[in-house]
Amino acid sequence: MFGGFEVFGLLLIVLAVAALWSTVKIVPQGYNYTVENFGRYTRTLTPGLHILVPIIERIGHHVNVKEQVIDIPSQDVITLDNAMVRVDGVAFFQVLNAAKSAYEVENLEHATINLTMTNIRTVMGSMALDELLSNRDKINSQLLHVVDAATESWGVKVTRIEIKDIAPPRDLIDSMARQMKAEREKRAQILESEGLRQAAILKAEGAKAAVVLEAEGRREAAFKDAEARERAAEAGSHRHDAGVERHRQRQRAGHQLLRRQQLREGPRSPRQCSQFENHHDAARGVVGDRLARRLGPDHRRSLRQCAASGKAPARRQRPAGVGARLSRPSSGAA
Amino acid sequence: MIALWTLGSTGEASAMTALVDLIANLGPWSWVIAGLILMSLETLVPGVHFLWFGLSAVVVGIVAFLAAALGLDEAFSLPWQLVLFAVISVMTVFWVRGLSRTEQAETDEPALNVRGAQYIGRIVVVEDAISGGRGKVRVGDTLWPAQGSDTAKGALVKIIGTNGTVFVVEPAV
């Protein structure tokens, strides 16, 4: 049964199997396979089914074209102000050109990590510790700038480089904590004393207001009291004045009665006549003849009666003295 | 090789002879059975190793049946069957490749894993002025090198192509 032909047949199957196994390649999604033609790169296989030329072509590298993350290991970096910090990071990259990344650089990951580490030292060595801790963004973008430029020739795009952890030495952390605590305490004390000051001011203002109000109250009370007294006095004085007025009226009435009687009877004595004369002179002295005329018909009748009855005294010239000066209206300055 | 087989332990030799007898008794069915076994292995095992062999085994089995029906039993002896099996395996590969090629064009994400192609057509802001033909543009949250005519920082440009890791841009209006 196993003659030459059968063996040939079997071996043909073996060859077919071997050939198919080595030439038919399934490239999974996310990978690119490089094809080498007797060791020389010819083409890149994208995901899918591919058949290679059997003996001549071989698969060279399996290149991962998905975005990858690599850890940048911790290292000690000395900052500009001589603080020693422990830094680690993470880098994201993606291979865009499979052939370049496979053949232009030996061990891509190793190269990228080392490149990033040296650049971290460079970037951080030129910044002070405070600046470092607050400007992570700036550090990240600076690192990206440099590392991306370097990996460009390897067909690799670095998309992000992030510093994960910046750990200053323990005692530095303690003193930073103390600084923060002191700052907070200072603020607390300021607020407390501010509060006390406000309280004292308000209290004093309250006291002042109280005293002022009290004084105002007393003033009002005094005003009211004075007013009350005034009213009372007025009311009393009104009665007094009324009485006085009545008295005067009666008196006048009595005088008028007496006067009429006198006029009817005529002047009784020369002294009365001289009085009439004096009155007349005085009146004339003050405002002149007009008033004399205004003295009234009664007075003029009395004068005529005096003159007629012969009881008028001799007209004597009064000296222009004080009396005349007083009788004259003060024209101008006195 | 035959000597090796026969010189194996008696257990093995008896198992081999029993298998050979079984295959001989089954006749053309053995090919079809082998084909089916191979194809089920194919579906179970990750990767494509047995598909062609399975298909070609089934085809050879069918041809053997036809030969038996047509009375060409003697002409279509084992070696010829084996040869046919080998040849058809290779042809099956090309046939399956041809099939998968047409499907290769239709995919939900044509630019999958081709980072540069995914950004074509986007309008982005120039971060480092493009001078002397090279500069940087901000795409999403990263900076990409850009190549194109001189543009000032802050201008809008449109990505029209890629050149490795560099975007080819033109001013967007």
Side-chain angles (χ1 to χ4, degrees):
Chain A
M1 191 180 137
F2 287 113
F5 200 17
E6 286 84 359
V7 176
F8 168 74
L10 277 168
L11 287 175
L12 193 63
I13 290 180
V14 170
L15 178 64
V17 167
L20 288 180
W21 259 335
S22 71
T23 62
V24 175
K25 297 291 173 189
I26 303 272
V27 180
Q29 185 73 44
Y31 284 86
N32 282 1
Y33 289 5
T34 58
V35 174
E36 289 171 3
N37 201 342
F38 287 130
R40 187 173 64 90
Y41 164 80
T42 46
R43 60 193 172 115
T44 308
L45 301 180
T46 53
L49 178 72
H50 294 274
I51 302 176
L52 306 172
V53 176
I55 311 296
I56 301 171
E57 288 189 343
R58 273 179 185 274
I59 295 290
H61 291 255
H62 297 224
V63 179
N64 188 342
V65 290
K66 296 184 268 200
E67 182 144 5
Q68 298 172 69
V69 179
I70 44 175
D71 283 312
I72 312 293
S74 290
Q75 58 173 335
D76 286 317
V77 178
I78 301 182
T79 64
L80 186 65
D81 51 359
N82 297 326
M84 174 89 95
V85 293
R86 194 152 188 83
V87 176
D88 63 354
V90 62
F92 291 75
F93 71 92
Q94 186 169 17
V95 173
L96 295 185
N97 190 333
K100 275 191 170 173
S101 83
Y103 299 114
E104 297 248 348
V105 60
E106 180 78 24
N107 200 345
L108 174 66
E109 216 174 271
H110 183 76
T112 312
I113 288 174
N114 276 304
L115 193 61
T116 313
M117 278 170 80
T118 49
N119 277 301
I120 284 175
R121 277 200 285 272
T122 313
V123 168
M124 289 198 169
S126 63
M127 297 168 87
L129 180 63
D130 283 333
E131 219 187 315
L132 213 72
L133 292 170
S134 53
N135 283 359
R136 294 242 182 149
D137 242 2
K138 197 172 124 198
I139 299 173
N140 290 345
S141 69
Q142 257 181 292
L143 283 171
L144 183 65
H145 226 87
V146 178
V147 176
D148 198 21
T151 60
E152 197 188 305
S153 60
W154 306 336
V156 170
K157 175 83 187 81
V158 179
T159 43
R160 326 195 67 177
I161 299 185
E162 310 253 339
I163 302 294
K164 263 200 294 199
D165 199 18
I166 303 178
R170 181 86 235 158
D171 47 4
L172 213 60
I173 294 177
D174 286 340
S175 51
M176 286 198 284
R178 268 186 288 143
Q179 178 200 9
M180 192 185 81
K181 190 167 148 214
E183 195 137 346
R184 292 200 174 211
E185 267 180 28
K186 171 183 128 186
R187 261 190 282 157
Q189 274 177 352
I190 287 176
L191 284 169
E192 223 181 277
S193 53
E194 186 73 38
L196 284 172
R197 182 185 129 212
Q198 293 263 12
I201 288 176
L202 284 170
K203 246 196 276 185
E205 278 188 6
K208 171 182 137 190
V211 169
V212 164
L213 279 171
E214 199 197 349
E216 274 191 12
R218 273 189 274 125
R219 186 183 89 168
E220 284 290 323
F223 274 158
K224 298 288 181 210
D225 276 341
E227 216 174 317
R229 265 183 278 132
E230 216 181 87
R231 287 280 160 78
E234 219 174 290
S237 75
H238 269 161
R239 254 183 279 126
H240 176 76
D241 285 347
V244 164
E245 192 58 42
R246 273 202 299 280
H247 178 75
R248 282 223 182 102
Q249 273 175 355
R250 279 204 210 103
Q251 221 180 29
R252 233 180 293 150
H255 279 160
Q256 275 179 347
L257 212 60
L258 204 60
R259 186 84 192 100
R260 294 230 169 83
Q261 195 183 17
Q262 270 184 350
L263 284 173
R264 273 199 305 274
E265 288 169 3
R268 276 178 296 188
S269 65
R271 199 169 74 89
Q272 233 183 24
C273 281
S274 77
Q275 269 184 350
F276 285 146
E277 287 278 345
N278 285 344
H279 285 160
H280 183 67
D281 285 344
R284 270 177 69 190
V286 171
V287 289
D289 284 317
R290 256 206 346 255
L291 185 57
R293 271 202 285 279
R294 280 188 62 206
L295 276 177
D298 290 346
H299 203 141
R300 287 200 294 277
R301 202 165 69 185
S302 303
L303 283 172
R304 277 199 303 273
Q305 280 173 347
C306 272
S309 69
K311 288 184 185 155
R315 214 70 163 90
R316 55 180 163 86
Q317 279 298 66
R318 197 187 297 260
V322 172
R325 248 217 314 275
L326 280 175
S327 322
R328 277 209 179 83
S330 60
S331 53
Chain B
M1 202 155 62
I2 310 141
L4 279 168
W5 282 359
T6 51
L7 281 174
S9 64
T10 45
E12 261 187 38
S14 60
M16 279 310 311
T17 45
L19 189 61
V20 169
D21 285 338
L22 180 66
I23 289 171
N25 289 339
L26 285 172
W29 277 112
S30 58
W31 277 113
V32 181
I33 290 164
L36 289 175
I37 290 171
L38 284 168
M39 286 212 280
S40 34
L41 270 179
E42 160 72 33
T43 53
L44 293 172
V45 171
V48 188
H49 306 295
F50 305 116
L51 177 64
W52 349 108
F53 305 121
L55 283 173
S56 88
V58 168
V59 167
V60 169
I62 292 169
V63 171
F65 270 121
L66 282 172
L70 290 171
L72 294 166
D73 227 15
E74 293 310 315
F76 196 51
S77 55
L78 180 62
W80 283 113
Q81 288 170 5
L82 296 173
V83 168
L84 185 65
F85 173 70
V87 168
I88 295 207
S89 301
V90 174
M91 283 171 58
T92 312
V93 171
F94 286 98
W95 178 64
V96 170
R97 179 164 167 254
L99 275 181
S100 68
R101 272 286 168 81
T102 54
E103 283 165 24
Q104 228 167 36
E106 315 158 8
T107 145
D108 278 350
E109 297 273 352
L112 196 58
N113 286 128
V114 188
R115 187 69 173 260
Q118 289 170 10
Y119 291 118
I120 289 179
R122 281 257 283 247
I123 296 183
V124 293
V125 180
V126 172
E127 188 81 10
D128 287 352
I130 301 178
S131 61
R134 289 288 293 240
K136 282 206 184 273
V137 291
R138 179 167 286 277
V139 181
D141 66 342
T142 73
L143 293 171
W144 281 70
Q147 183 181 316
S149 54
D150 287 2
T151 323
K153 172 172 174 167
L156 290 175
V157 289
K158 185 168 163 179
I159 298 172
I160 52 172
T162 60
N163 184 1
T165 56
V166 180
F167 281 144
V168 179
V169 296
E170 64 172 14
V173 286

